[in-house]
Amino acid sequence: MKNTFLLFGLPGSGKGTQAQRLAEKFGLQHISCGDLFRLHIKSNSEFGQKATTYISRGELTPDKETTMMFLEHLAQQALSNTFVIEGFPRTLPQAAAIESFITAKDGYIKQAIFLDVEVEELVKRISGRRICPICGHIYNLYYFPPQQLEICEIDGALLERRTDDKEQLVRHRLHTYLVTESPVWEYFRTKSLLTKIDAMRPIEEVSSDICQILSDSLASEVGYD
Ligand code: AP5
């Protein structure tokens, strides 16, 4: 956990898409708090059942349990030197918890990368999002539709829409997160760790900026993986 990068942004800003690309391109280990929730929900665990109530209302799940679930998962992973965390922290207590966890492992938060996108674009992206339930590939009906409507090009599975992607809920989610997450962005900004990226641009361009930040940040490191 020597070099930790945090990916921030409002729902639909492209965190999952970009983290997936980093993992594919550089083999970087990537952990998404939202994906962990979805795994819990799918397996119908006690935590998953509880989380569903909040997620289906477009709200954040309670801090204490979320932090415990996330850090327990992190602790069980064979963590590589360089890895990317997406969707955590989202509150100041979560920020304090992840910092302590990483410090205890002799690691550092190298950069907190913020993907900046306008609200109307976020609503469009989320309403067009479709995900493959098998391989997890993210499509978009407006921007990157699969060749065959609603079918994954990689494994032929029927694409799914997330239950929290309904337009009315999306606007509520955006508002909630703007209010609760802004202090976290500010927290990392005052530590000179926050880098804002214009994520209204095509995926490739955003991706190239993120790669540049990672390589600049790691340039002084020897033997990172
Ligand atoms: P989570 O899964 O983290 O959802 P989120 O933050 O709402 O973010 P999204 O996954 O919706 O969007 P994204 O930024 O990953 O965008 P994507 O790459 O898919 O969390 C789900 C829920 O769990 C939360 O609502 C909350 O309840 C709970 N939760 C999670 N973490 C928590 C925490 N720490 N504490 C408490 N609760 C927590 O892209 C979106 C679409 O746009 C895709 O279709 C994609 O193809 C397209 N796209 C991406 N980039 C571009 C581009 N540049 N141009 C055009 N289209 C693009």
Side-chain angles (χ1 to χ4, degrees):
M1 301 194 65
K2 204 166 152 207
N3 307 303
T4 302
F5 293 88
L6 306 177
L7 259 190
F8 286 116
L10 289 172
S13 55
K15 302 179 294 294
T17 301
Q18 295 297 339
Q20 216 170 56
R21 288 176 77 89
L22 288 174
E24 282 162 11
K25 245 180 158 170
F26 301 105
L28 289 186
Q29 201 171 353
H30 144 234
I31 296 175
S32 153
C33 192
D35 285 350
L36 281 183
F37 278 124
R38 284 182 282 279
L39 282 177
H40 274 279
I41 291 169
K42 212 168 185 176
S43 68
N44 204 24
S45 72
E46 197 182 326
F47 184 76
Q49 288 173 17
K50 211 167 177 189
T52 307
T53 321
Y54 294 91
I55 294 175
S56 62
R57 289 201 300 244
E59 288 166 9
L60 290 179
T61 54
D63 252 349
K64 204 170 154 199
E65 284 140 307
T66 302
T67 303
M68 206 184 293
M69 181 278 293
F70 191 73
L71 296 187
E72 267 175 16
H73 177 83
L74 271 189
Q76 287 162 10
Q77 303 303 302
L79 296 170
S80 53
N81 262 351
T82 304
F83 76 99
V84 179
I85 290 179
E86 179 225 318
F88 193 98
R90 286 187 143 137
T91 63
L92 289 174
Q94 290 182 11
I98 190 77
E99 274 194 313
S100 312
F101 182 90
I102 291 170
T103 308
K105 303 259 179 211
D106 294 328
Y108 301 93
I109 294 176
K110 298 288 280 185
Q111 287 282 324
I113 302 168
F114 178 76
L115 304 180
D116 195 18
V117 178
E118 287 168 14
V119 168
E120 286 313 311
E121 171 68 11
L122 294 172
V123 174
K124 182 175 178 186
R125 285 187 191 180
I126 293 175
S127 59
R129 172 165 52 194
R130 298 292 184 275
I131 302 174
C132 173
I134 308 290
C135 68
H137 190 82
I138 306 170
Y139 293 88
N140 193 287
L141 298 188
Y142 302 113
Y143 299 108
F144 325 103
Q147 283 173 355
Q148 202 182 339
L149 199 65
E150 306 287 355
I151 302 291
C152 178
E153 289 172 8
I154 299 163
D155 49 39
L158 187 64
L159 299 179
E160 288 182 350
R161 189 168 190 196
R162 275 172 40 178
T163 49
D164 55 348
D165 275 356
K166 297 177 198 105
E167 182 165 344
Q168 218 180 1
L169 199 57
V170 167
R171 290 187 188 277
H172 177 63
R173 263 163 77 196
L174 290 171
H175 176 73
T176 307
Y177 297 172
L178 197 58
V179 172
T180 49
E181 281 194 42
S182 318
V184 181
W185 309 334
E186 183 58 19
Y187 175 75
F188 287 106
R189 197 187 62 76
T190 55
K191 292 185 157 221
S192 304
L193 287 174
L194 192 77
T195 305
K196 211 176 196 182
I197 291 184
D198 172 8
M200 291 285 288
R201 295 169 302 149
I203 288 181
E204 279 296 341
E205 288 181 30
V206 177
S207 188
S208 146
D209 277 11
I210 296 176
C211 292
Q212 192 61 51
I213 292 168
L214 260 69
S215 42
D216 288 350
S217 191
L218 294 170
S220 56
E221 302 285 337
V222 180
Y224 66 85
D225 53 10

